[in-house]
Amino acid sequence: MIETIVHAGEGTKTLRDVASTLDIETEIARLRREKNAVILAHYYQDGEIQDLADFVGDSLDLSRAAAETDADVIVFCGVRFMAEVAKILSPGKTVLLPDAAAGCSLEDTCRPDAFRAFRATHPEHVAITYINCSAEVKALSDIIVTSANAEHIVRQIPADKPILFAPDRHLGAYIMRRTGRPMTLWDGICIVHEQFSERELLALRARHPGAKITAHPECPESVLQHADHVGSTRGMLRYVIESPASEFIVATEKHLIHQMQKAAPHKTFIAAPGVDGSCDCARCPYMALNTFDKLYLALVNGAPRIEMPEELRRRALAPLQRMLDMSPPAATSRRQTVGVAAE
Ligand code: 13P
Ligand code: SF4
């Protein structure tokens, strides 16, 4: 198996090595200019990282931003598969991930050897794979999708062609319900979306009868069946901006609410509850590994840095490029975008 390598860097500095009086925000701004770096952040990052980033978006818009940037360095504030996508699409650039351990539970459920065996037992099928997977699994796939374009892309597959969908079984089942298209699903889940509780959600809505529920398709069907809207993070953001309602229950990682509050400060947003009703579980533990301090150190050290064998990159590029070619038109890129133009 060929793995992507995240280089720790030589002579790596830790926070103890830098003066405690340092104004980290000013230093990040200085280093960003000095190194011609762009900071990309997913909606699931802490608010302070989102506010500092040059571009904030969902995984589809971030892929496009990584492909289009003319910066020399991309600091990817997201999880490893997202930074890998940036490297696959922009091989000439240095791609930094503030914490090398920022993985994804969906990626963990789909190891390349097991996926290769899955494909081998379904040789006639086209393999459509959610972007939340390793570079090696991408390389073993026919077409990559995100939650923003999965339905649009599945609808383009000829009706007589059987489909394998991996690794998120909830997103796959949702697309099957939307399109009426049978698909053979990989049995993966996201640990964040899996824990939302139907019982607690209904109890919360009973206390907020006017609230609309917006949910990410990684949620189980028991949650999605109560949603007024289902969409990618960008789609959820657009929904709350455009909806005439003033109160929303948000069933995804809670940091998306930061952009919602910025875009619609007069509206109220409530994070969907987990199984015990009071836990702080709508929080991705992998995204949370990236901190302001680690972002600064990544710029100082030029590491952790995504590297991958060119042969793997090329194989992973083909299904990613198919995704970009088959996607609906892109949202307009702009600094601090809230990505509301498409979907
Ligand atoms: P988006 O495709 O909406 O950005 O979601 C990514 C993700 O990791 C959801 O858990
Ligand atoms: Fe992966 Fe879930 Fe975190 Fe998204 S929220 S990055 S799917 S673990």
Side-chain angles (χ1 to χ4, degrees):
M1 188 178 82
I2 311 161
E3 297 263 20
T4 298
I5 302 153
V6 186
H7 275 295
E10 278 126 47
T12 301
K13 284 196 168 59
T14 67
L15 261 194
R16 262 188 234 122
D17 303 323
V18 298
S20 57
T21 50
L22 214 60
D23 176 349
I24 301 244
E25 197 166 341
T26 309
E27 283 302 297
I28 290 173
R30 182 182 63 76
L31 287 164
R32 176 159 55 183
R33 273 194 310 277
E34 220 173 84
K35 303 198 173 201
N36 189 25
V38 66
I39 299 174
L40 306 185
H42 191 269
Y43 292 126
Y44 291 170
Q45 291 290 277
D46 278 356
E48 62 174 6
I49 293 181
Q50 292 191 38
D51 289 347
L52 185 95
D54 296 290
F55 187 95
V56 187
D58 69 357
S59 28
L60 179 60
D61 284 337
L62 289 168
S63 307
R64 286 169 163 153
E68 287 166 10
T69 182
D70 53 11
D72 296 319
V73 177
I74 298 172
V75 187
F76 210 113
C77 298
V79 291
R80 190 172 50 238
F81 77 80
M82 297 176 179
E84 284 179 353
V85 167
K87 187 69 185 175
I88 293 164
L89 294 172
S90 284
K93 304 197 187 305
T94 299
V95 178
L96 307 175
L97 178 65
D99 191 312
C104 170
S105 58
L106 272 168
E107 174 177 341
D108 293 344
T109 64
C110 192
R111 303 301 301 164
D113 288 349
F115 185 70
R116 190 181 290 107
F118 180 61
R119 283 221 65 177
T121 54
H122 301 85
E124 305 303 321
H125 289 58
V126 57
I128 299 187
T129 306
Y130 191 31
I131 200 165
N132 296 39
C133 65
S134 64
E136 183 63 28
V137 166
K138 285 184 179 71
L140 293 165
S141 304
D142 294 312
I143 309 169
I144 302 303
V145 295
T146 75
S147 56
N149 60 21
E151 180 180 338
H152 185 86
I153 289 178
V154 166
R155 288 188 189 279
Q156 295 175 60
I157 306 301
D160 60 346
K161 193 78 192 156
I163 300 175
L164 293 182
F165 190 93
D168 186 16
R169 69 178 154 96
H170 295 313
L171 174 62
Y174 171 72
I175 300 299
M176 278 171 46
R177 292 195 295 279
R178 291 282 304 172
T179 60
R181 188 75 190 260
M183 302 195 290
T184 302
L185 305 181
W186 184 270
D187 193 18
I189 52 107
C190 157
I191 53 166
V192 179
H193 293 82
E194 184 69 7
Q195 55 72 41
F196 291 125
S197 154
E198 178 186 19
R199 190 175 53 111
E200 296 296 335
L201 180 67
L202 293 179
L204 181 64
R205 192 169 63 179
R207 295 196 295 279
H208 299 268
K212 296 287 182 197
I213 299 175
T214 177
H216 195 279
E218 286 177 20
C219 293
E221 187 184 357
S222 60
V223 168
L224 294 181
Q225 67 178 327
H226 302 292
D228 299 288
H229 167 262
V230 178
S232 72
T233 46
R234 177 183 72 191
M236 295 173 74
L237 181 57
R238 176 180 170 168
Y239 172 72
V240 303
I241 293 169
E242 293 182 351
S243 167
S246 58
E247 197 173 25
F248 300 88
I249 297 171
V250 179
T252 195
E253 214 278 353
K254 65 178 186 178
H255 289 96
L256 176 60
I257 291 177
H258 179 70
Q259 286 297 336
M260 291 177 166
Q261 274 164 343
K262 282 177 75 171
H266 52 292
K267 297 187 179 184
T268 304
F269 304 100
I270 309 164
V275 182
D276 82 357
S278 62
C279 66
D280 182 24
C281 26
R283 177 175 175 274
C284 174
Y286 305 101
M287 291 275 182
L289 290 173
N290 292 327
T291 62
F292 218 49
D293 292 348
K294 289 179 198 168
L295 161 55
Y296 161 70
L297 286 174
L299 277 164
V300 171
N301 293 321
R305 193 173 66 245
I306 303 286
E307 304 282 3
M308 74 182 68
E310 179 58 11
E311 182 269 341
L312 171 61
R313 190 194 70 80
R314 276 179 200 274
R315 285 193 295 122
L317 177 62
L320 261 175
Q321 191 56 56
R322 257 173 236 130
M323 172 188 85
L324 295 174
D325 295 344
M326 294 172 82
S327 292
T332 312
S333 296
R334 62 180 194 271
R335 190 176 188 280
Q336 285 290 351
T337 188
V338 291
V340 293
E343 205 224 19

